Amino acid sequence: MDRVLNVGYIGNGKATNRYHIPFMLTLPEKFRVKTIYARHIRNDAWDAVPGATYVDDLDAVLGDPAIDIVEICTPSRCHFEHAKAALRAGKHVVVDKPFAGSEAEAAELFELARAQGVTVQCFQNRRFDSDYVTARTVYDSGKLGHVFEVVTSYDYFRPHMMDGVGLDPIDNAAYGHATHCLDQLIAWFGVPDRFHAEVRQTKGAGAAVDYFDYDLYYDELNLKATAHANYASAFLRPSFAVYGDRGAYLKMEKDQQERDLKHFYLPAGHPDFGQDSLEQYGLLRYVDETGAMREERVPSERTSYAQFYEALFETVAHGAPQLVKPEETLAQMRILEAGMTLAR
């Protein structure tokens, strides 16, 4: 299938216009944004995408035989039903995080995709965060010796961010942000042999979950990988910390792409988009082959969320395996569910 793929969006909010479309537009030889659906069309919220048609009739997306891929960018509680509808219409589907509300829902979507002869996967753009990719590069270098612990943090200082949210799992911090952290670790090391899940409500019973801590254990690697965060961290913990018996690597700040996007500094026309400064580089300290302790800054890898779409094109156009595999998402949902059973 050597042609431009047509894409329809369900949802026209922040996710669509900040995290998806700007990167798809960098690949005009592979994708065309054909149709964008929203219940209420508001042209004042986001700039219109050139050439795209805006509709308030969902069938204009699902019933259009020219649309190859449907992206689900609606509120979290709508993801499952909208994904099912798009799969039943025979479309390849990308679902913004969280993928579903439970492992059972996720399994139903994967089975439906298989029956329809199409694909469905979660939009895990943060597999292309520079801090994550650089941490993996350091790990692969062998300079740290045997790595026994990897920790990733997704902290904020937003003490009131979850006020009034309630206890529906899909609206809580775990489903909102741990989805990225867990996916990064599972993509890196695979489905864990076992795990420990902990969530907390720092404002007490009945309040939303605003703290999570997941430990993933890989027995053959003798390694523990941790994903944790809380929303009241006045001092943010390192985005990535990698510990080995010959050294350690720390990267304090997260990927620059999101900060640029929040300032409407978009990838198109900005060659420095998402690029770390020297001061943002991670720090590597290790014992070299002579026994001397060395310390050096590690340049951040250049990455782009457009890499998700490059992989998506290969899957839909050429039948390549999908980037985010069903077993990875099912494992993530299982871990998220286990944690939310602790909320009260």
Side-chain angles (χ1 to χ4, degrees):
M1 188 193 298
D2 290 319
R3 63 172 175 81
V4 174
L5 300 178
N6 290 311
V7 181
Y9 281 90
I10 299 179
N12 186 36
K14 178 177 70 175
T16 297
N17 290 281
R18 179 183 288 173
Y19 296 107
H20 290 259
I21 286 178
F23 299 96
M24 185 168 281
L25 292 178
T26 66
L27 301 169
E29 73 285 1
K30 296 180 178 178
F31 297 100
R32 172 194 174 208
V33 180
K34 187 175 188 296
T35 310
I36 299 173
Y37 160 83
R39 287 187 303 167
H40 306 288
I41 301 300
R42 292 178 54 201
N43 293 326
D44 59 333
W46 301 93
D47 290 340
V49 177
T53 300
Y54 288 78
V55 299
D56 57 10
D57 177 7
L58 187 57
D59 191 58
V61 175
L62 301 184
D64 184 349
I67 289 179
D68 302 289
I69 301 167
V70 171
E71 299 224 36
I72 311 300
C73 300
T74 47
S76 298
R77 64 185 62 252
C78 302
H79 288 183
F80 176 62
E81 292 300 332
H82 281 147
K84 273 203 305 186
L87 290 169
R88 286 172 176 158
K91 309 300 185 185
H92 294 275
V93 177
V94 173
V95 186
D96 205 19
K97 58 85 180 172
F99 184 73
S102 67
E103 184 183 8
E105 287 185 353
E108 184 176 341
L109 293 180
F110 290 126
E111 176 56 28
L112 180 56
R114 186 199 62 78
Q116 293 288 87
V118 293
T119 62
V120 60
Q121 60 181 307
C122 189
F123 180 63
Q124 293 291 3
N125 59 320
R126 291 185 178 274
R127 291 194 182 190
F128 303 103
D129 274 352
S130 62
D131 54 333
Y132 168 66
V133 174
T134 307
R136 291 190 64 161
T137 299
V138 171
Y139 174 89
D140 290 341
S141 74
K143 291 180 178 179
L144 300 180
H146 167 62
V147 171
F148 54 84
E149 186 172 24
V150 173
V151 184
T152 181
S153 304
Y154 209 128
D155 292 334
Y156 288 105
F157 187 64
R158 299 177 183 176
H160 302 290
M161 181 175 176
M162 305 300 290
D163 287 1
V165 170
L167 277 179
D168 189 330
I170 207 163
D171 292 328
N172 276 247
Y175 278 65
H177 286 122
T179 51
H180 287 314
C181 303
L182 287 172
D183 178 74
Q184 287 177 332
L185 296 178
I186 292 170
W188 189 346
F189 299 111
V191 175
D193 297 299
R194 50 201 170 87
F195 66 87
H196 174 265
E198 179 185 359
V199 302
R200 293 177 59 195
Q201 298 146 275
T202 64
K203 299 194 175 187
V209 167
D210 54 2
Y211 173 112
F212 60 80
D213 192 318
Y214 301 97
D215 292 326
L216 313 184
Y217 296 92
Y218 297 90
D219 295 336
E220 288 190 11
L221 296 173
N222 190 21
L223 180 145
K224 181 179 81 169
T226 296
H228 62 194
N230 75 73
Y231 287 178
S233 289
F235 287 104
L236 304 185
R237 292 170 290 188
S239 175
F240 273 92
V242 185
Y243 300 101
D245 59 10
R246 295 185 65 84
Y249 169 74
L250 294 181
K251 175 69 165 73
M252 293 304 300
E253 294 188 31
K254 285 207 164 291
D255 182 271
Q256 181 68 31
Q257 292 179 86
E258 182 167 15
R259 289 192 291 276
D260 283 350
L261 290 170
K262 286 179 177 178
H263 290 92
F264 295 91
Y265 191 78
L266 302 180
H270 297 117
D272 61 343
F273 172 83
Q275 185 174 355
D276 275 356
S277 64
L278 176 64
E279 294 75 20
Q280 292 172 304
Y281 289 173
L283 187 64
L284 173 63
R285 182 180 295 166
Y286 67 101
V287 177
D288 69 14
E289 61 278 2
T290 71
M293 178 66 78
R294 299 177 61 87
E295 185 170 297
E296 58 192 57
R297 289 283 181 181
V298 180
S300 299
E301 299 277 345
R302 292 303 306 272
T303 60
S304 170
Y305 296 156
Q307 290 170 266
F308 177 91
Y309 285 108
E310 291 170 349
L312 178 65
F313 180 83
E314 292 303 314
T315 295
V316 176
H318 300 133
Q322 62 191 61
L323 176 70
V324 186
K325 297 175 177 57
E327 61 268 23
E328 296 170 336
T329 298
L330 290 169
Q332 177 203 106
M333 296 304 309
R334 185 159 58 249
I335 295 166
L336 290 173
E337 277 193 280
M340 285 303 298
T341 62
L342 303 174
R344 63 197 192 282

